[in-house]
Amino acid sequence: MGKRWRIKPHDVGQVMQLERAAQVPPVVAQLLVHRGIVTRERAADFLEARMSDLRDPASLPGMDEAASAIFAAVSDKKKITIYGDYDADGMTATGILVRCLTLLGADVNYYVPNRLDEGYGLSAEALQKLANRGTQMVVTVDCGIASVSEAQVASELGLELVITDHHTPGAELPAARAIVHPGLASAPYPFPGLCGAGVAFKLAWALCRRASNATKVTPRLKNFLVTAMGLAAMGTVADVVPLVDENRVLVRHGLNSLKVSPVLGVAELMRVASIDSKPTLSSEDIGFVLGPRLNAAGRLGQAQLGVELLTTESSDRARALAEYIHQLNNSRDSLERSIYLAATKQIKEQFDPINDPALVLAGHGWHSGVIGIVAGRLAEKHARPVVMIALDELGAVPGTGSARSANGLNLHQALAACDEHLISYGGHAAAAGLRIDAAHVERFRDHFCEYVSTEVAPEDRVEDLYIDAEAPLLQLTLSTVTQIEQLAPFGQANPRPVLCAMGVSLDGPPRRMGSGERHMTATFRQHSVSVRGVAFGQGDWVEQMEQTPGAIDIAYRPVINEFRGRRNVEIHLVDWRPSDRTSPSS
């Protein structure tokens, strides 16, 4: 079943008024109105995204207490450990604070749990290990807000604990020297959407102020903060937090920092990923190139090497680590493809993806660090909630599962309804994890599917494609698309616009392209205008388009392709369907 196109309605009067006031093309005005921006002043603020729009770090709840405690520990030469997380957000947050404290002369190191052996967050065993190594203060990044019992262990071990996090707090807060969190109900902050790296950046800023003994930091520390903003941008995009408010400012200026003054490891990672020569960097370069490489290290149990990449001052070590992490990403990609093929075969043989309300798949030997990516791809493809369970080859340990939602299903509630079959579970509405005995998989599958069937009606088991505006290809001038690009950085809550054109014809046969011929390229014509398009991961569309008579409608994202100094408008195809309009004349 195809996607259900939903073209967003708009107030024509508002759009025309903003078009005149802000002097922007109609489609740009429509995109701004969809974002709640209806005045010239607000449009200017949104498009500029000034660095001065970042809030004072002191306004973050718990910041003064945390900065005071950490700065005192630095001055007293206490041994400080930054306790991070194994995803890109956690790695970049760790890198920011390690680099900051090193610059301030601290005795600092870092600890990142192994995803495969230890799991997420603070653990009593790790805290004991750190205490035995002489650590006196633990500063968490991107974790710790739910670690009530672990905080008690830290206290018993004599460890001074400072927690910085952004995840949802529980009913009880851990007992710590200080807690820095943008979403505490007891001390509301105007923007709770900061990620772990964003919070770490604010803490580093506060520490630099204390070291400078002034609101305005020294030139040396200012240079560090500019570079740290690049790491914060990486964590912000990779963690898929909303790219609005402060996050948009961090990413807009952080992308420039990554281009102009990246840390050694990031510069090498951009080199091996072949994006170092791009004139400018986009949020997509983080989301699809840099972030996945850091996450690959975490998924395959090598997160500590990701942090080392972000903190090393050795060119040779940075080069070696970047190349190794690049290969880890290739390994992750290979594992992902293998599991995806196995899961697809299982769906064909055992399920009815049209009528089944959900897909619960299990396989022996599947890599637990990769199944979440595959679950997401399958949930998007089939517009169904998907649970992927990696079963142990020998059956010696329980299976590990990752789930991804679709159709608005709240996964956390769904797993709670089926918890009698599970050893444990956790997560949130869109993504969750679980542990389960292999013997209980079938009963869990039945119960989970039964629950989903009561929550999602059959007619809603289709993916909605939200389209910002209908825009004929004639509107895709270089000037207009350049102005659309000013809405960037694009990501969560500020997605790259999806437009549509009706009654389009193929200007020549489509063809497959790329590694494994997984992608498609074609030229589309509407009236006298032709535009090249690419559909990533949709090589199968070639045969489908060739077999479709007449005109088609296309949904697409407009982009500017820069190659050898030339800039051209292209489109990234999102979806297409046979048109009910007459094919336009050429």
Side-chain angles (χ1 to χ4, degrees), residues 16-32:
M16 292 180 64
Q17 185 177 3
L18 184 61
E19 177 190 347
R20 290 191 298 266
Q23 296 186 332
V24 294
V27 67
V28 176
Q30 193 167 335
L31 294 173
L32 287 168

Side-chain angles (χ1 to χ4, degrees), residues 159-190:
L159 295 171
E160 192 173 4
L161 180 64
V162 174
I163 291 173
T164 78
D165 200 356
H166 72 113
H167 293 96
T168 304
E172 178 184 358
L173 293 178
R177 174 70 173 79
I179 297 176
V180 184
H181 193 293
L184 294 180
S186 58
Y189 182 69

Side-chain angles (χ1 to χ4, degrees), residues 99 227 230 256-268 270:
R99 296 185 73 89
T227 298
N256 184 61
S257 169
L258 288 174
K259 181 62 185 174
V260 176
S261 58
V263 300
L264 283 174
V266 173
E268 289 295 334
M270 289 193 290

Side-chain angles (χ1 to χ4, degrees), residues 175-368:
R177 174 70 173 79
I179 297 176
V180 184
H181 193 293
L184 294 180
S186 58
Y189 182 69
F191 180 62
L194 291 172
C195 70
V199 175
F201 173 79
K202 289 293 190 82
L203 176 55
W205 186 358
L207 289 169
C208 287
R209 280 183 169 183
R210 289 182 179 269
S212 304
N213 199 28
T215 300
K216 186 176 181 179
V217 304
T218 65
R220 176 168 167 262
L221 294 178
K222 180 179 179 181
N223 289 338
F224 156 72
L225 288 173
V226 170
T227 298
M229 191 175 288
L231 296 180
M234 291 175 63
T236 299
V237 174
D239 213 45
V240 202
V241 290
L243 285 192
V244 297
D245 203 280
E246 289 188 284
N247 286 341
R248 189 162 181 274
V249 178
L250 277 172
V251 175
R252 168 73 70 86
H253 295 280
L255 286 168
N256 184 61
S257 169
L258 288 174
K259 181 62 185 174
V260 176
S261 58
V263 300
L264 283 174
V266 173
E268 289 295 334
L269 197 61
M270 289 193 290
R271 178 187 63 81
V272 298
S274 301
I275 62 170
D276 56 321
S277 60
K278 294 187 64 175
T280 58
L281 294 175
S282 69
S283 55
E284 288 95 340
D285 290 316
I286 295 175
F288 298 113
V289 180
L290 299 178
R293 281 163 173 77
L294 287 181
N295 279 326
R299 289 182 180 279
L300 299 183
Q302 301 287 325
Q304 75 280 0
L305 296 183
V307 177
E308 186 181 356
L309 176 79
L310 302 178
T311 55
T312 183
E313 296 296 338
S314 165
S315 298
D316 291 340
R317 184 60 176 163
R319 187 176 305 111
L321 285 168
E323 290 173 354
Y324 180 68
I325 288 173
H326 182 67
Q327 291 304 315
L328 283 180
N329 187 59
N330 291 338
S331 298
R332 187 272 312 158
D333 187 54
S334 178
L335 283 169
E336 180 187 330
R337 289 194 208 180
S338 175
I339 295 172
Y340 182 84
L341 290 173
T344 299
K345 181 181 179 182
Q346 192 174 128
I347 291 171
K348 289 180 180 178
E349 293 176 349
Q350 302 177 23
F351 297 90
D352 179 358
I354 300 297
N355 297 309
D356 285 345
L359 300 173
V360 179
L361 312 171
H364 289 89
W366 287 354
H367 196 290
S368 60

